[in-house]
Amino acid sequence: MEMPLHERIAADLRRRIGSGELAVGDPVPSESQLCAQWNASRAPVRQALTSLRAEGMIGGGRGKPAVVRRHTLSQPFETFLSFSSWAAGLGHVPGQRTLEIARRPADADIADALQLDEGTPVVQLLRQRLIDGRPTMLERTTFVEPVGRLLFDFDCDSGSLYAHLGAHGVDMTVARHQIDAVAADETDSELLEVAVGAPLLRERRRASGMDGRPVEYSDDRYRPDMVSFSIENSQQAHPALLRDWRAS
């Protein structure tokens, strides 16, 4: 199914902003220009611009032309979980290659992270994640067994795991993130096309349901020349963790 027109317009503007084609401070194309570009009425154009204003990517109004405020995309929780949704929202093409999916006993570290007894069966997934065909992140994810078994009948390269799991009633509404740096091991080196020992950004995440029970633990390793992380906060709101695309 084709995306609605206002979503396509918004995605294209996000792409132009994220790539630097529209720099911070640059004017955003006017409503009339966008109408002409997309052969559209003003309604979907205004809806697209409203979405970007809500995300904080553009500002202006009250008679003033809209301008680019920042390059990063503020992400709702479900978009942060989903690499596919994040990349697509920036106007890029997400991709993935599932290299392994297996049911095995939890080792001590995984058992601690998921609050299980050591040796409890879990489902582990190794995936190479791509943006526009370029290796960007290596994902090592472990699910508790009742959740992970839902993936054995799913084509993990067909789209978002989290959309699939959510459609089956899996609750992952709370997450704890840890960001640090690690040296690339041999697997990272081969699959991310970097040298052994090269620095990588690592995001370790534990996702839980509203009942507090852990569902997923993930060790995701990103190429720092392609992705960065930032924290956005204010006195009025809880901090928001942002994952940013580095145009190159």
Side-chain angles (χ1 to χ4, degrees):
M1 180 180 296
E2 190 176 39
M3 291 173 60
L5 180 56
H6 72 274
E7 292 184 8
R8 286 186 280 139
I9 296 171
D12 183 64
L13 287 171
R14 291 189 194 100
R15 177 193 62 77
R16 295 171 67 184
I17 293 170
S19 69
E21 179 184 339
L22 292 174
V24 171
D26 282 353
V28 177
S30 67
E31 288 185 10
S32 60
Q33 288 173 320
L34 290 170
C35 287
Q37 177 187 344
W38 291 90
N39 191 26
S41 67
R42 289 190 180 269
V45 167
R46 287 174 177 169
Q47 193 170 355
L49 294 174
T50 296
S51 295
L52 267 64
R53 284 193 179 92
E55 294 163 7
M57 296 190 79
I58 67 174
R62 296 184 179 180
K64 296 181 180 179
V67 296
V68 176
R69 294 298 191 203
R70 64 181 184 188
H71 285 161
T72 59
L73 174 66
S74 298
Q75 297 169 276
F77 180 80
E78 64 272 14
T79 306
F80 193 92
L81 284 180
S82 173
F83 181 96
S84 299
S85 296
W86 167 68
L90 286 174
H92 294 279
V93 179
Q96 53 273 322
R97 295 178 183 141
T98 300
L99 306 171
E100 179 186 49
I101 180 168
R103 183 179 182 271
R104 55 171 58 99
D107 62 22
D109 290 339
I110 294 296
D112 286 346
L114 292 176
Q115 298 176 9
L116 301 171
D117 293 329
E118 189 172 351
T120 299
V122 293
V123 174
Q124 295 188 313
L125 188 70
L126 177 66
R127 289 201 298 173
Q128 181 194 51
R129 310 307 301 271
L130 305 100
I131 293 181
D132 300 333
R134 300 170 62 191
T136 302
M137 184 261 279
L138 193 62
E139 181 180 67
R140 297 173 172 90
T141 306
T142 302
F143 294 96
V144 296
E145 197 271 341
V147 172
R149 73 162 71 107
L150 297 170
L151 300 176
F152 286 110
D153 294 325
F154 175 68
D155 179 1
C156 295
D157 293 339
S158 66
S160 171
L161 296 183
Y162 299 101
H164 172 73
L165 294 175
H168 284 77
V170 177
D171 177 15
M172 287 187 286
T173 52
V174 180
R176 181 174 184 267
H177 306 269
Q178 290 180 289
I179 309 294
D180 62 3
V182 294
D185 62 21
E186 290 186 1
T187 300
D188 300 330
S189 171
E190 177 183 355
L191 296 174
L192 291 177
E193 301 178 1
V194 298
V196 172
L200 299 173
L201 283 173
R202 178 173 65 174
E203 180 227 345
R204 287 176 288 177
R205 178 183 66 255
R206 184 176 69 186
S208 307
M210 287 299 292
D211 60 5
R213 295 180 183 177
V215 173
E216 173 225 41
Y217 175 75
S218 194
D219 178 316
D220 299 341
R221 302 184 181 195
Y222 294 82
R223 287 182 48 160
D225 59 327
M226 299 174 71
V227 176
S228 66
F229 293 90
S230 60
I231 299 290
E232 181 174 289
N233 59 11
S234 72
Q235 292 181 338
Q236 291 77 34
H238 294 295
L241 179 62
L242 308 178
R243 175 175 48 194
D244 309 330
W245 169 251
R246 293 182 182 275
S248 59

